Amino acid sequence: SNIRNLPMEKLASTMMFPCKYSQSGCAAQLLYTDKPDHEDSCEYKPYSCPCPGSSCKWYGPLEQVMNHLMLQHKSITTLQGEDIVFLATDINLSGAVDWVMIQSCYSHHFMLVLEKQEKFHGHQQFFAVVQLIGSHKQADSFIYRLELNGHRRRLTWEATPRSIHEGVQSAINTSDCLVFDTHIAQLFADNGNLGINVTISPV
Amino acid sequence: SNIRNLPMEKLASTMMFPCKYSQSGCAAQLLYTDKPDHEDSCEYKPYSCPCPGSSCKWYGPLEQVMNHLMLQHKSITTLQGEDIVFLATDINLSGAVDWVMIQSCYSHHFMLVLEKQEKFHGHQQFFAVVQLIGSHKQADSFIYRLELNGHRRRLTWEATPRSIHEGVQSAINTSDCLVFDTHIAQLFADNGNLGINVTISPV
Ligand SMILES: [Zn+2]
Ligand SMILES: [Zn+2]
Ligand SMILES: [Zn+2]
Ligand SMILES: [Zn+2]
């Protein structure tokens, strides 16, 4: 029916509802209108597998994410240190490709992602971004820097890491990451391999 | 005729020819096969007006370029100093747009160019680049840095300035400059105005 029940609407607009993750520990009570936003970023929402472009359907609590990666995604390399080189090999491979590695520093694990895709016909682009294997709040206390170094040229992007809770796709969709095209990639690549300097710092 | 005159070809391939700018002072003597490349970048070639996207047909010697800009392109702002802010207003204007200003430092004049264009359908991009009002050789002794600063984000591009002798279009065509899309522009713009920090340094 299109007839609006104003008293009911009024009542609903003032009632408080529990978060749908209350069973996992969330104590939040929310107005109906605030529920979707809260639940989308609720810290008790289970974490999905952070591997980009993977068809992995795993999800679980934050504490088990690294364990899952070690067991199910054994090919992912881990490097120790706050200042490392993320080497993407064969960047000229055609089609949508993802390069992933893990950087461990400051008692945290960060997942580095380089994604190649064609958002616009005939225009392949690379998107590089860092996500913390941790909560949004934890991610806020770090900053990452991605740097391409070439012959008398340097391209640098600095930003707050994403949390794997939100993932990297929204950052890639809105270009809120290091974006460069195949021309730029060629300027900085060596024999089809691209080294990205990654530095993580506490804020 | 398709009949090749081998003795003539052999002779021509060893003969030296003067550069076509010999009247302007170039003393180079060149093999026929080397003439086009040399003349394209010959330092005695007249300079064209460096204003991007302008229909100005002026050309002349390097010493007269600044004079030409002052007289014929009065709307171009000049700022003094090696570290300035290039403010591009109304970046949301549709269509191909150019923003231009001149930065004077180290006894040289640099032209800063921000160009908005749609290389790929539905995908507007910004290209920012610095060119020295001087020769290629003079440009080689400088480096420029363009920096966008936003909320916990920074995008930086460092490179050797172009010379106005070669111009900026080849840099824009090959993305050999600071490239960003409208999403990124929004992240760094304030009320439709984008400030780009420009720093020039001697190498
Ligand atoms: Zn919740
Ligand atoms: Zn997985
Ligand atoms: Zn010459
Ligand atoms: Zn002109």
Side-chain angles (χ1 to χ4, degrees):
Chain A
S1 149
N2 280 323
I3 300 166
R4 297 175 64 183
N5 185 330
L6 292 177
M8 270 307 285
E9 282 181 30
K10 183 125 199 262
L11 185 60
S13 75
T14 58
M15 275 175 70
M16 302 302 274
F17 297 87
C19 167
K20 75 171 165 188
Y21 304 113
S22 58
Q23 302 272 320
S24 311
C26 183
Q29 294 285 324
L30 305 144
L31 289 172
Y32 192 77
T33 46
D34 295 340
K35 256 172 76 80
D37 269 2
H38 166 84
E39 288 168 354
D40 212 42
S41 60
C42 173
E43 61 182 305
Y44 294 94
K45 186 174 86 169
Y47 282 67
S48 312
C49 173
C51 292
S54 107
S55 49
C56 178
K57 297 285 178 255
W58 182 89
Y59 63 91
L62 177 59
E63 302 74 48
Q64 287 174 26
V65 173
M66 274 308 289
N67 201 39
H68 164 75
L69 293 173
M70 307 283 215
L71 290 173
Q72 300 298 321
H73 303 276
K74 292 195 167 93
S75 65
I76 299 179
T77 306
T78 298
L79 285 183
Q80 307 288 331
E82 64 263 29
D83 191 357
I84 60 107
V85 175
F86 175 21
L87 185 68
T89 54
D90 297 323
I91 58 163
N92 300 320
L93 281 179
S94 62
V97 185
D98 284 292
W99 292 262
V100 174
M101 68 170 281
I102 289 174
Q103 177 172 2
S104 295
C105 57
Y106 302 112
S107 313
H108 283 278
H109 302 287
F110 297 84
M111 180 178 269
L112 320 180
V113 175
L114 174 68
E115 186 164 314
K116 182 185 188 180
Q117 51 156 278
E118 194 171 314
K119 275 190 198 177
F120 299 91
H121 184 67
H123 183 44
Q124 288 200 313
Q125 289 179 300
F126 291 88
F127 302 86
V129 60
V130 174
Q131 55 182 345
L132 173 69
I133 299 178
S135 69
H136 186 81
K137 201 168 168 180
Q138 290 171 318
D140 266 352
S141 54
F142 292 99
I143 193 156
Y144 71 92
R145 185 174 72 226
L146 301 177
E147 193 173 282
L148 299 178
N149 272 292
H151 177 62
R152 299 189 72 170
R153 285 170 185 83
R154 180 157 47 201
L155 178 62
T156 313
W157 166 258
E158 289 166 88
T160 307
R162 294 272 153 163
S163 152
I164 57 165
H165 219 183
E166 49 180 340
V168 296
Q169 280 310 314
S170 67
I172 291 174
N173 293 343
T174 61
S175 301
D176 193 5
C177 54
L178 176 62
V179 185
F180 51 98
D181 65 16
T182 47
H183 277 122
I184 295 254
Q186 291 312 322
L187 283 177
F188 293 102
D190 183 16
N191 215 359
N193 301 319
L194 183 69
I196 305 177
N197 293 296
V198 188
T199 311
I200 312 269
S201 323
V203 172
Chain B
S1 150
N2 281 320
I3 301 167
R4 298 175 64 185
N5 187 330
L6 293 175
M8 271 307 286
E9 283 180 29
K10 184 128 196 259
L11 183 62
S13 74
T14 58
M15 276 176 70
M16 303 301 274
F17 296 87
C19 167
K20 75 169 165 189
Y21 304 113
S22 59
Q23 302 272 321
S24 312
C26 183
Q29 293 286 325
L30 304 145
L31 289 172
Y32 194 76
T33 46
D34 295 339
K35 258 174 72 82
D37 270 3
H38 167 84
E39 288 169 354
D40 211 41
S41 60
C42 173
E43 61 183 305
Y44 295 94
K45 187 174 88 170
Y47 283 67
S48 312
C49 173
C51 292
S54 106
S55 49
C56 178
K57 297 285 178 257
W58 182 89
Y59 63 90
L62 178 57
E63 300 74 48
Q64 287 173 26
V65 173
M66 275 306 291
N67 200 39
H68 164 73
L69 293 173
M70 306 285 214
L71 289 173
Q72 301 297 322
H73 303 276
K74 293 197 168 93
S75 64
I76 300 178
T77 306
T78 298
L79 285 183
Q80 305 290 330
E82 64 263 30
D83 191 358
I84 59 107
V85 176
F86 176 19
L87 185 68
T89 53
D90 297 323
I91 58 161
N92 299 321
L93 281 179
S94 63
V97 185
D98 284 293
W99 292 262
V100 174
M101 68 171 280
I102 289 174
Q103 177 172 3
S104 295
C105 57
Y106 301 112
S107 312
H108 283 279
H109 302 286
F110 296 85
M111 180 178 270
L112 320 180
V113 175
L114 174 68
E115 186 163 317
K116 182 184 188 181
Q117 52 155 279
E118 193 171 314
K119 276 191 199 176
F120 299 91
H121 184 68
H123 184 44
Q124 287 201 314
Q125 289 180 299
F126 291 87
F127 303 86
V129 61
V130 173
Q131 56 182 344
L132 173 69
I133 298 178
S135 70
H136 186 79
K137 202 169 168 182
Q138 290 171 319
D140 266 352
S141 54
F142 292 100
I143 194 156
Y144 71 92
R145 184 172 73 225
L146 301 177
E147 193 173 282
L148 298 178
N149 273 293
H151 177 61
R152 299 189 70 170
R153 285 171 186 84
R154 180 157 46 199
L155 179 62
T156 312
W157 167 259
E158 289 166 89
T160 307
R162 295 272 153 162
S163 151
I164 58 166
H165 219 183
E166 49 180 340
V168 296
Q169 280 310 313
S170 68
I172 291 174
N173 293 343
T174 60
S175 302
D176 192 5
C177 54
L178 175 63
V179 185
F180 51 97
D181 65 14
T182 47
H183 278 123
I184 296 251
Q186 291 312 323
L187 284 176
F188 292 103
D190 182 17
N191 215 359
N193 302 320
L194 183 70
I196 305 177
N197 294 295
V198 187
T199 310
I200 311 270
S201 324
V203 172

